[in-house]
Amino acid sequence: MAALEWQGDGVNPSDSSTPVPLRVRSIPAGHDYVRHAVGSAAGVLVLDDPLLDPADPGRWWPHPALEAAERPEVLDGADLVHVHFGYEHRSPGQVAGFVSAVRGCGLPLVVTVHDLRNPHEADPAAHLERTGHLVRGADAVITLTEGAADEIRRRWGANAQVIPHPRLMPAGTTEPYRLRRLDRTRLRQPGHPSRLQGSGPVGRPAGGRIVGVVMGSLRAGIAAEGLLPHLADALPDGVALVVMVRATALTAARAPDHARHEAALALDRLAERPDIEIRPHDLLTDDELCRSLAGFDALVLPHRHGTHSGWLELCRDLGLPPVIPDVGYLVEQWGSDTGRYDPEDPGVDELRRALAAALSAPPVPARAADAEDEAVAAAHTALYRGTVQTACS
């Protein structure tokens, strides 16, 4: 096995007192999920992503390691390769070539199936074909829910280990906002001596509540024109709607020939209502994003399609009840049905029921023990060790 120094008991045979870390080429490494899922894994060194642009040192895409078929040296220094995401720019044939190159280097391959349906692509066929090459060629497969594991088994005959999604952001960032939200929720309870008074944003009544939606950059998988007008009409009395959207994306979409022009028109029409705020923004820091989300009483996820969602985990981190589109395994990922809707036909009555369920839901439970960073990292460590030992036997 190329460059492999890992031993089954995690020690260097030449010096039994010095642990030798397993060097993992994670594709990518510089992503919040990877940092929380593997960052604290014992005996594991996640290799840094290559520096692609000195002006943007955090950029990891497109990841050079996926070009291993053309440049095998991009895998030098690794003992194991773990693919998460970021391979949609490669053709299915190129992904098959990547798998063969990893095999040719004698490296074990681990694949985490985050998405069976790419949330940013309208046609699922190419992503399924690419993912199929990875899953069939992998020594070990991970996914986030039992439902996704069952689908992987049906499609490709592979047994995927379910490891829950860890937190999306550090507790030091999210916990102050979660506690403030919890205090605000308690103050709103009927009969509380300090019940909230005073007027709020976007013209809502005193003590009113806010539902948020994050549109991001209006990518293909984000609903707007088909969802927002119905959502606006479904707002309960005394509830306002805030729609966050990247300012540059909204400006671009106002061009008549833009693919999301209808979405921009829908947003501009809604801005005329006194109970709705369209909030264009630049790229937000983690703290700015958490501060914005923590001001909401529920968050509507506008996914048209997908499998799992990091937004659900950020809701969990912040104690924010979501309204969940009935796609993929999002409801299973969340763990309870606080409010769901059909993104193919988001009717007003259905959305009204979903909003009422989310707004009246009990406080969001704390993250389960098996989804805390340390437990998720330990599960990855065990899987890596087992995979390497099997490959070496």
Side-chain angles (χ1 to χ4, degrees):
M1 184 172 300
L4 182 60
E5 297 179 14
W6 179 265
Q7 303 297 316
D9 58 0
V11 299
N12 184 334
S14 64
D15 181 359
S16 60
S17 66
T18 305
V20 177
L22 176 67
R23 299 167 298 181
V24 175
R25 170 56 70 197
S26 179
I27 304 173
H31 187 279
D32 289 333
Y33 176 93
V34 178
R35 283 189 283 264
H36 287 280
V38 194
S40 61
V44 172
L45 173 63
V46 178
L47 300 173
D48 291 337
D49 294 319
L51 181 62
L52 300 182
D53 181 359
D56 185 9
R59 186 184 132 205
W60 49 261
W61 64 92
H63 205 289
L66 292 166
E67 302 172 12
E70 298 86 4
R71 300 186 292 143
E73 67 273 10
V74 297
L75 299 179
D76 286 351
D79 302 320
L80 178 146
V81 177
H82 187 165
V83 177
H84 288 275
F85 31 68
Y87 52 90
E88 58 269 19
H89 64 293
R90 305 291 279 177
S91 70
Q94 288 173 323
V95 172
F98 163 78
V99 172
S100 296
V102 174
R103 290 294 192 194
C105 291
L107 297 172
L109 176 63
V110 175
V111 173
T112 294
V113 180
H114 295 264
D115 298 308
L116 285 153
R117 176 77 187 267
N118 189 309
H120 306 304
E121 294 181 340
D123 186 350
H127 181 75
L128 279 171
E129 189 176 353
R130 288 187 291 257
T131 304
H133 285 304
L134 290 170
V135 168
R136 289 190 297 268
D139 296 275
V141 180
I142 301 169
T143 194
L144 310 180
T145 58
E146 293 290 349
D150 289 342
E151 184 172 342
I152 290 166
R153 189 177 303 111
R154 291 195 305 271
R155 285 185 179 278
W156 299 300
N159 292 318
Q161 179 174 338
V162 175
I163 300 178
H165 199 302
R167 65 172 44 254
L168 196 72
M169 291 190 187
T173 299
T174 59
E175 193 65 5
Y177 294 110
R178 187 187 72 84
L179 294 175
R180 288 178 208 169
R181 284 202 73 264
L182 190 58
D183 287 343
R184 191 173 74 245
T185 301
R186 289 169 177 158
L187 288 171
R188 284 204 174 104
Q189 297 304 312
H192 194 285
S194 301
R195 192 175 182 189
L196 289 174
Q197 300 296 327
S199 61
V202 293
R204 60 180 175 159
R209 292 176 292 177
I210 302 178
V211 170
V213 186
V214 179
M215 293 277 131
S217 296
L218 293 173
R219 297 177 74 172
I222 295 296
E225 56 272 45
L227 169 65
L228 292 178
H230 297 289
L231 183 62
D233 290 340
L235 290 173
D237 292 341
V239 176
L241 176 66
V242 172
V243 183
M244 298 175 59
V245 60
R246 287 290 295 273
T248 52
L250 179 57
T251 299
R254 289 189 174 118
D257 59 345
H258 194 281
R260 299 312 306 269
H261 182 60
E262 290 298 321
L265 291 179
L267 287 164
D268 288 341
R269 284 192 293 265
L270 288 175
E272 299 172 1
R273 287 184 43 161
D275 57 346
I276 297 176
E277 176 190 347
I278 307 303
R279 187 181 293 173
H281 61 87
D282 296 327
L283 181 64
L284 300 176
T285 65
D286 288 351
D287 187 75
E288 290 169 339
L289 175 60
C290 290
R291 185 185 308 121
S292 294
L293 297 183
F296 301 150
D297 296 281
L299 184 72
V300 179
L301 273 62
H303 302 46
R304 282 176 167 157
H305 43 252
T307 307
H308 305 109
S309 174
W311 287 101
L312 284 177
E313 301 306 325
L314 187 51
C315 283
R316 206 186 313 274
D317 294 344
L318 292 168
L320 177 62
V323 175
I324 306 173
D326 200 359
V327 297
Y329 303 100
L330 270 66
V331 172
E332 181 186 346
Q333 180 186 351
W334 181 250
S336 65
D337 193 355
T338 58
R340 64 200 293 180
Y341 71 95
D342 178 4
E344 296 293 328
D345 184 21
V348 172
D349 290 342
E350 181 187 38
L351 286 167
R352 186 177 291 120
R353 288 192 295 270
L355 289 171
L359 290 168
S360 62
V364 174
R367 185 170 292 279
D370 64 347
E372 292 291 351
D373 289 9
E374 293 77 10
V376 173
H380 279 81
T381 296
L383 182 138
Y384 288 160
R385 288 178 177 175
T387 300
V388 170
Q389 289 172 350
T390 299
C392 290
S393 62

